[in-house]
Amino acid sequence: MTEKTQQPTAPTSELPTQYAPAEVEGPLYERWVERGYFEADAKSEKPPFTVVIPPPNVTGSLHLGHAFEHTLIDALTRRKRMQGYETLWQPDMDHAGIATQNVVERELGKESKSRHDLGREEFIERVWQWKGESGGQISGQMRRLGDGVAWSRERFTMDEGLSRAVQTIFKKLFDDELIYRAERIINWCPRCLTAISDIEVEYQDDDGELVSMKYGEGEDTIVVATTRAETMLGDTAVAVHPDDERYAHLIGKQIKLPLTDRTIPVVADTHVDPEFGTGAVKVTPAHDPNDFEIGQRHNLPALAVMDERAVITAHGPFQGLDRLEARSAIVGALRAEGRIVAEKRPYVHSVGHCSRCKTTVEPRLSMQWWVKVGPLAKAAGDAVRDGRVKIHPQEMEKRYFDWVDNLHDWCISRQLWWGHRIPIWHGPNGEIVCVGPDEEPPTGEGWTQETDVLDTWFSSGLWPFSTLGWPEQTESLAKFYPNSVLVTGYDILFFWVARMMMFGLYAMDGTPPFHTIVLHGMVRDQFGKKMSKSFGNAVNPLDWMDKYGSDALRFTLARGANPGVDVPIGEDWVQGSRNFANKIWNATRFALMNGATVEGPLPAPEEMSSTDRWILSRLNKTVAEVDAFYEDYQFAKLSEALFHFAWDEVFDWYVELSKTTFFAGGEQAKVSGRVLGEVLDVTLRLLHPFVTDTLWTTLTGVGSPQREARGEESLVVADWPTDSGFRDDAAEREIELVQRVVTEVRRFRSDQGLQPGQKVPAKLTLDGTALAPHEPAIRQLLRLQPEGEGFHATASLPVAGATVAIDLSGTIDVEAERKRLTKDLGAAQKEVAQATAKLGNEAFLAKAPDNVVDKIRTRLAKAEEGIARINTQLANLPQG
């Protein structure tokens, strides 16, 4: 032993008897931020590790999905920072065009005003005012969770720098003829009064109606069916398949369109399925995307019959009616004319809804701005195919390719006021001029700027480089682009990831925006059901953090994070993680009171007990295992490995096996105290942040020479543990034997109805085995007293090459226990008989569902196991 392995100077008085998360987490996080631990230096010579935060909305608040995702990113960035990387977790906030405008418009509604009462400029000022006062509450909640982001670098998609990036890339795309203006069918929200993209439409099964109606007169009658009868006012043709003989005589003819003074042609188009319905379809080019394509092929006019609020504009008795009112009125009018052939109500069919306000979306012909995605999407697909970008888990690649290989052109214009206004000026004679960030817009009579703004995802798609200063060639851009990894949910693979891939490759000369895309699943309730306010199972993560602490929530989420798989979570699981935090706290307090220290080098292996060598061998294997899981983004597996090592091996086995050594004192206690200090030091590094940082700074001692030499004053900036290579397989086998003995005897004690703390006399025959040195610890763990005078072995347990003889005389009521066990045996035998009879009944097996049969087989197996166990217990009872 050396002088440096003496007991520690760190007093346990620094640690309260119980862990109180609310008293620790807030002040500790603020201290981390004040000391700049999370900031990133572009001038640093350390290798970079960069992650951009998935886009939280300025209108948003922290939900469990955010907490889950942020937990995973925080774990990655904290580890890389400790490993010596210049780590940047870039915080950003999305302006959330539609959502934010809706919020502010609702506020105006309380004043009986609309945005039109204010005008565009004053309305935008109100939005900025709202943003300053109420927006961005999620930032404070991120701090509550413990997010290690570089707050000094926080960016907002509408700030000056990002606006310059948006204008720059728009100009570049426009000049490269990848942005154009065209009239096409888009998804229109009559509530938000704007176009929305395909991926912002949520489909659900709604109860509607399917109406079949007759067009034409006499022999020129044809039956069509629709779920949107109101659109018939805009029909400009009926289409049939060119090979459908039923309608061959009508192709090219004009037929009467009911309720109007118009006639429309019957056209032949291969899009029509002759086997579906009547084999004839009404064609409304201005209100249906498929009909629009048919109209293009046959030069049909496109008649819009609804305004932006889905109110009928066609002349006649239906003008001014809402689309749903018009639907009912038109069906009634057709019925009065005898043109209704069939009505099916309710008719369940898939209907698109605005993801923001849940209003039914209306397909609408509209002049919009588009991105030609063909070459951009090809580049995004090639970057994954050639290995420049990895998708984890790999099976998610198919979903990615299915999307980018089949992308339609992207409608990027939105009919809003809040957002990046499209940098296009229209001239008096139809001129179109795109203006870059350093260019002056055209002036003079008749020149006006485009009123539409850009889709929010246009600006957030630039985040990996716009937040670093692009288009300027900044030090941050050179240092931190491309991002190292993107951690995000598979649900925004299409919204955000694909757009970042397209824009990053395009703007950054073919360099992808990140090396690896890590996709995780959705957070669900403990029964696997989607969390929703309407289901009554939505959870505010702040409530659980207030009740159990942020560490408990974070660890619960990480333990469920299998790659690409949805994550179930329940409150009792969070409570279990809180118990784990308490276990760490209490075990560290015990260790500090019993000589745990980090001072000085580890003792030589020959100075250690086999228990010491065992735990150090297991510690290094755990470090290697956790590192391997981190590199493969296996958060659930690394969390499980840490949980079982800390709780089972360190706290339940090593600490318990070492108690006799600590209580005896002397040189061996000092050796074990240094080993325990090492184990806790490494374990706390692997498990941080909150509770472990508090414990670690106490364990290592303020101002300790080792900490000062390494510049470590917090786990945040401490070194990440490395596998020292120390292994002792012999010690591991030896302690496994001890564990077998203790486990078997504990099981026997439980079977015999002994209380955990109840002491009984026993004789241990350990001679000739590796167990002999551990007899004091085994007796302590099993509450086994020395045999003493009058010892009578009533049960003898051979295990691991040793024998444990126990005297149960006087400790249990043998006859009462025999009666209880005999009753349990009879019940188990009855269960076996019933299950066997059912499984032997061929008629039952032929009719019963597989899951029912499986349950019976399981019951049979458990009952048979119970019979064997009870018979063993009866045999081990003392004989009268």
Side-chain angles (χ1 to χ4, degrees), residues 115-255:
R115 60 184 165 115
H116 299 286
D117 293 324
L118 273 64
R120 185 166 191 147
E121 289 188 9
E122 188 177 345
F123 175 76
I124 291 173
E125 286 180 10
R126 284 289 293 266
V127 179
W128 278 108
Q129 179 183 343
W130 174 88
K131 191 259 182 186
E133 295 173 356
S134 307
Q137 63 172 313
I138 199 170
S139 296
Q141 296 166 339
M142 287 165 59
R143 293 171 183 263
R144 180 76 174 82
L145 185 65
D147 287 1
V149 299
W151 287 112
S152 69
R153 290 173 171 266
E154 186 174 13
R155 303 297 298 272
F156 180 55
T157 47
M158 289 286 287
D159 69 29
E160 183 178 351
L162 268 67
S163 295
R164 179 178 178 83
V166 168
Q167 195 172 356
T168 299
I169 202 164
F170 187 99
K171 169 72 171 174
K172 179 174 170 59
L173 288 164
F174 183 86
D175 290 346
D176 287 345
E177 299 183 349
L178 292 174
I179 284 181
Y180 63 95
R181 190 170 184 245
E183 189 176 44
R184 293 185 179 176
I185 293 286
I186 46 87
N187 303 297
W188 182 266
C189 177
R191 160 64 185 80
C192 298
L193 300 179
T194 182
I196 58 177
S197 66
D198 291 343
I199 51 181
E200 292 172 303
V201 178
E202 295 177 349
Y203 287 90
Q204 66 184 47
D205 288 340
D206 287 356
D207 287 343
E209 60 181 2
L210 181 66
V211 178
S212 299
M213 49 197 179
K214 291 188 295 185
Y215 283 13
E217 303 285 354
E219 293 182 357
D220 294 344
T221 297
I222 194 167
V223 176
V224 296
T226 184
T227 58
R228 301 164 65 219
E230 67 278 10
T231 63
M232 58 91 53
L233 300 174
D235 287 358
T236 55
V238 171
V240 298
H241 194 276
D243 299 331
D244 193 336
E245 295 181 358
R246 294 173 296 175
Y247 304 115
H249 66 290
L250 289 176
I251 295 173
K253 284 190 174 183
Q254 294 282 328
I255 61 172

Side-chain angles (χ1 to χ4, degrees), residues 270-291:
T270 54
H271 170 76
V272 180
D273 181 0
E275 304 296 325
F276 184 77
T278 64
V281 297
K282 58 189 287 298
V283 181
T284 321
H287 293 279
D288 183 275
N290 293 322
D291 292 2

